[in-house]
């Protein structure tokens, strides 16, 4: 499993004075820079800037690799490292909100904390100074300001670049603007933080959280609200007709999702844990208030097996629908985001920036979106007024949600879907579609 290094720093010219931060995410194996981010933050103290750098680094890694990623955080601030490791108390109340925010992000990862001398934190220190220099000239930090600038722009924190982006999937993806960004792998979710260009927060079926549109690589499941029963009023006024309720269930864990690898049309089986996740979802869906009447599934084994487990609990048959399959990631199938970035850097940059661009031998998100819209329309028409469970993958589920919200395709990179997560869209004959629940994993806890 890929492990990472975050190097973060912040500084203030006056303490307090004009301040800025910088953060770098690297591959722990070879030191390759995956994300750079920097920002000026007005008049602040050194410690505030250092915490802001830490938060930016953690945010960028979550966008890149999703929850559960293994990382060593390195800073030359003894104060921040010792406080985050729990060895020193936080005596400055002004730092407490920042420390709590950083701790909340760190809990989503597997973090070790390491103090390093300033001379070994040169990359982050350089970025912080570049941000402050840019602010002194009256403009924000840009990737072009970086003396180490290379690669495509990605999404990390406010100004950032990354060598790889997340596929809309899930973590992770792991962006908001276009589908550009980097991903851990398809069925990873995508999402980028604001930057020169958006990037995904989940990788395509890599393993969880993100997040661009592939299936997100899964790490730990997020706490999410429990699903509301279908048929109840949502929004400013009550429904004027009976809803067609479409529950969307992502399949359980596979060997590829554990390692955050792109998983499109490849056909891995569920792991024992994936079977247990599907069983937990089945127990939930077999009871009230769900009243599932129809089960449809992607033809791929991981989704089909999940659907069959639910069907065994509910006494229903599974109808296989080709349109619910995951996007085709072509030559990238089975690779991690970092591996793809190294072997196909230009193709990856194009794919992350443009939904009409496809992986070598694969399917673009634009093409996939048309396929998913077609199957969504068919299901709504065929099963009007009924409650349907569709078992699918990160990309199709995100696309159905994005369409229901009337959001642009770039919204895929702002969503994260966990393994075995449940979402709900209700469609009304008089027009509106309402997203009632998103990424509910309460059955897994």
């Amino acid at each position: 499993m890929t492990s990472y290094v975050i190097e973060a720093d912040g500084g203030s010219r006056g303490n307090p004075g004009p301040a800025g931060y910088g953060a770098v995410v690297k591959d722990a194996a070879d030191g390759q820079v995956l994300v750079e981010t920097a920002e000026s933050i007005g008049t602040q103290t050194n410690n505030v800037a250092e915490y802001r750098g830490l938060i930016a680094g953690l945010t960028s890694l979550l966008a890149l690799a999703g929850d559960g990623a293994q990382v060593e955080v390195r800073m030359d601030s003894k104060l921040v490292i010792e406080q985050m490791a729990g060895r020193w108390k936080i005596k400055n109340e002004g730092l407490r909100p920042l420390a709590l925010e950083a701790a909340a992000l760190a809990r989503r990862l597997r973090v070790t904390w390491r103090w390093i001398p300033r001379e070994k934190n040169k990359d982050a220190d350089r970025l912080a100074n570049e941000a402050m220099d840019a602010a002194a000239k009256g403009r924000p930090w840009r990737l072009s300001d970086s003396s180490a600038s290379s690669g495509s722009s990605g999404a990390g924190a406010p100004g950032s670049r990354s060598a790889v982006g997340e596929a809309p999937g899930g973590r992770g993806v792991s962006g908001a603007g276009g589908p550009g960004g980097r991903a851990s792998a398809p069925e990873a979710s995508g999402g980028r933080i604001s930057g020169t260009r958006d990037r995904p927060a989940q990788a395509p079926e890599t393993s969880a959280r993100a997040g661009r549109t592939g299936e997100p690589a899964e790490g730990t499941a997020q706490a999410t609200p429990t699903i509301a029963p279908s048929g109840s009023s949502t929004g400013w006024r009550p429904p004027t007709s009976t809803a067609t309720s479409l529950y969307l269930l992502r399949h359980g864990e596979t060997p590829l999702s554990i390692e955050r690898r792109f998983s499109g049309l490849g056909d891995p089986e569920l792991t024992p844990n994936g079977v247990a996740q599907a069983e937990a979802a089945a127990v939930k869906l077999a009871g009230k208030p769900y009243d599932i009447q129809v089960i449809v599934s992607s033809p791929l084994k991981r989704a089909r097996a999940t659907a069959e487990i639910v069907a065994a609990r509910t006494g229903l048959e599974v109808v296989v629908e080709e349109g619910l399959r995951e996007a085709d990631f072509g030559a990238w199938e089975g690779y991690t985001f970092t591996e793809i970035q190294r072997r196909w850097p230009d193709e990856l940059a194009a794919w992350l920036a443009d939904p009409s661009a496809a992986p070598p031998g694969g399917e673009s998100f634009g093409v996939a979106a048309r396929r998913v819209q077609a199957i969504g329309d068919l299901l709504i028409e065929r099963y009007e007024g009924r409650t349907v469970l569709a078992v699918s993958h990160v990309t199709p589920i995100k696309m159905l949600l994005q369409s229901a919200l009337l959001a642009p395709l770039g919204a895929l990179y702002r969503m994260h879907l966990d393994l075995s997560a449940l979402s709900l869209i209700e469609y009304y004959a008089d027009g509106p579609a309402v997203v009632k629940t998103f990424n509910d994993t309460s059955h897994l806890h």
Side-chain angles (χ1 to χ4, degrees):
M1 177 181 290
T2 303
S3 58
Y4 302 90
V5 170
I6 292 173
E7 295 172 358
D9 197 14
S12 171
R13 293 170 179 173
N15 198 29
Y21 68 73
V24 183
V25 178
K26 298 180 179 180
D27 187 315
D30 59 9
Q32 180 187 13
V33 174
L34 304 177
V35 181
E36 284 186 344
T37 181
E39 186 184 16
S40 62
I41 55 173
T43 299
Q44 297 291 350
T45 65
N46 282 327
N47 291 153
V48 167
E50 289 163 345
Y51 262 111
R52 289 287 300 275
L54 170 60
I55 289 167
L58 293 169
T59 301
S60 294
L61 178 58
L62 284 164
L64 169 66
D67 285 30
Q70 182 173 317
V71 60
E72 181 176 78
V73 175
R74 301 173 183 173
M75 299 182 68
D76 59 65
S77 171
K78 190 76 169 176
L79 175 82
V80 175
I81 290 295
E82 293 299 315
Q83 287 180 344
M84 294 309 299
R87 293 185 289 265
W88 288 7
K89 293 181 179 180
I90 301 170
K91 298 180 180 179
N92 183 339
E93 289 302 318
L95 296 179
R96 192 175 300 279
L98 294 170
L100 291 173
E101 181 179 355
L105 294 169
R107 282 194 295 273
R108 296 169 57 187
L109 300 161
R110 290 182 292 159
V111 181
T112 55
W113 305 95
R114 180 183 171 195
W115 176 84
I116 56 174
R118 179 169 295 277
E119 59 269 20
K120 292 188 177 181
N121 202 24
K122 291 181 179 178
D123 288 335
D125 179 71
R126 167 181 54 79
L127 289 166
N129 279 288
E130 287 174 358
M132 288 185 279
D133 290 343
K137 297 174 184 176
R139 59 179 178 80
W141 179 87
R142 302 184 183 94
L143 174 57
S144 57
D145 294 329
S146 174
S147 60
S149 171
S150 66
S152 64
S153 175
S160 72
R161 73 117 173 163
S162 86
V164 241
E166 278 203 53
R171 284 44 181 273
V173 315
S174 277
R182 81 191 250 132
S184 297
E187 285 211 353
S189 33
R192 1 182 332 132
I193 319 301
S194 59
T196 52
R197 138 185 309 193
D198 272 327
R199 107 208 204 143
Q202 237 172 297
E205 270 198 4
T206 91
S207 93
R209 240 163 211 37
R212 297 226 144 221
T213 301
E215 276 209 341
E218 293 292 333
T220 45
Q222 284 174 255
T224 49
T226 301
I227 279 193
S230 61
S232 57
S233 170
T234 298
W236 291 105
R237 31 176 210 179
T240 57
S241 61
T242 302
T244 301
S245 298
L246 182 61
Y247 285 98
L248 302 167
L249 177 65
R250 189 187 171 199
H251 62 77
E253 180 188 83
T254 73
L256 292 185
S257 66
I258 293 173
E259 298 182 1
R260 301 177 185 275
R261 295 183 179 275
F262 276 65
S263 181
L265 299 190
D267 226 4
E269 306 273 359
L270 295 179
T271 63
N273 186 50
V275 171
Q277 290 171 338
E279 289 282 5
V283 170
K284 180 188 189 81
L285 291 165
K288 296 289 185 181
Y290 301 97
D291 297 319
I292 304 298
Q293 297 171 289
V294 179
I295 299 177
V296 295
S297 173
S298 156
L300 298 175
K301 290 178 183 176
R302 55 196 184 271
R304 181 71 182 270
T306 301
E308 293 288 359
I309 289 170
V310 178
R313 286 271 182 177
T314 58
L316 299 170
E317 297 294 324
V318 175
V319 178
V320 174
E321 294 288 354
E322 176 66 26
L324 291 173
R325 64 173 174 79
E326 179 55 284
D328 181 359
F329 297 111
W332 297 350
E333 182 77 19
Y335 287 92
T336 66
F337 195 89
T338 299
E339 290 167 345
I340 292 168
Q341 193 276 334
R342 289 171 180 164
R343 295 185 60 166
W344 295 279
D346 294 338
E347 293 88 342
L348 180 64
W351 180 71
L352 294 173
D354 183 358
S356 68
E363 176 184 38
S364 73
F365 285 137
V367 170
R370 290 190 289 275
R371 164 172 58 82
V372 172
Q373 185 64 58
I375 186 60
D377 291 345
L378 182 150
L379 294 176
I380 296 162
E381 180 180 355
R382 181 191 295 166
Y383 302 114
E384 183 178 359
R386 304 178 75 184
T387 300
V388 181
L389 172 67
V391 184
S392 188
H393 312 265
V394 164
T395 306
I397 292 174
K398 284 189 173 184
M399 286 178 171
L400 288 167
L401 290 161
Q402 165 254 324
S403 176
L405 292 168
L406 302 179
L409 199 58
L412 298 173
Y413 308 117
R414 293 295 191 183
M415 302 182 203
H416 167 78
L417 286 178
D418 285 302
L419 291 164
S420 192
L422 194 60
S423 300
L424 170 62
I425 305 171
E426 290 190 341
Y427 298 89
Y428 293 93
D430 58 358
V434 177
V435 175
K436 293 284 290 290
T437 306
F438 173 70
N439 199 41
D440 176 18
T441 58
S442 58
H443 49 287
L444 301 179
H445 305 299

